[in-house]
Amino acid sequence: MTKLTITEIAAESVELLPARETLLWDLNTALIAAHNTSMAVNAATVLSAANSVAVQGISVTQF
């Protein structure tokens, strides 16, 4: 990485961003949906075990 000289720093300029009211149509929205599903059945059995596997999902849509 090279060092900046005083001349290079003095040559820099800045520009102001527009006011917030000017950015009225700059919308950033997101639709988020999450779900968690699991099922286990252990009916009419003796000395048995029921296993369950959970499925999770998250969906994000950004506009």
Side-chain angles (χ1 to χ4, degrees):
M1 185 160 91
T2 61
K3 292 184 179 183
L4 293 173
T5 65
I6 299 296
T7 308
E8 291 172 326
I9 293 173
E12 291 292 322
S13 63
V14 297
E15 181 179 335
L16 292 176
L17 294 174
R20 184 96 176 139
E21 295 80 20
T22 308
L23 302 173
L24 177 65
W25 300 109
D26 184 22
L27 299 176
N28 188 6
T29 59
L31 175 64
I32 300 174
H35 67 275
N36 186 7
T37 306
S38 179
M39 181 185 293
V41 176
N42 189 2
T45 59
V46 178
L47 300 174
S48 64
N51 293 323
S52 176
V53 175
V55 177
Q56 298 176 338
I58 297 176
S59 173
V60 178
T61 304
Q62 190 170 15
F63 302 100

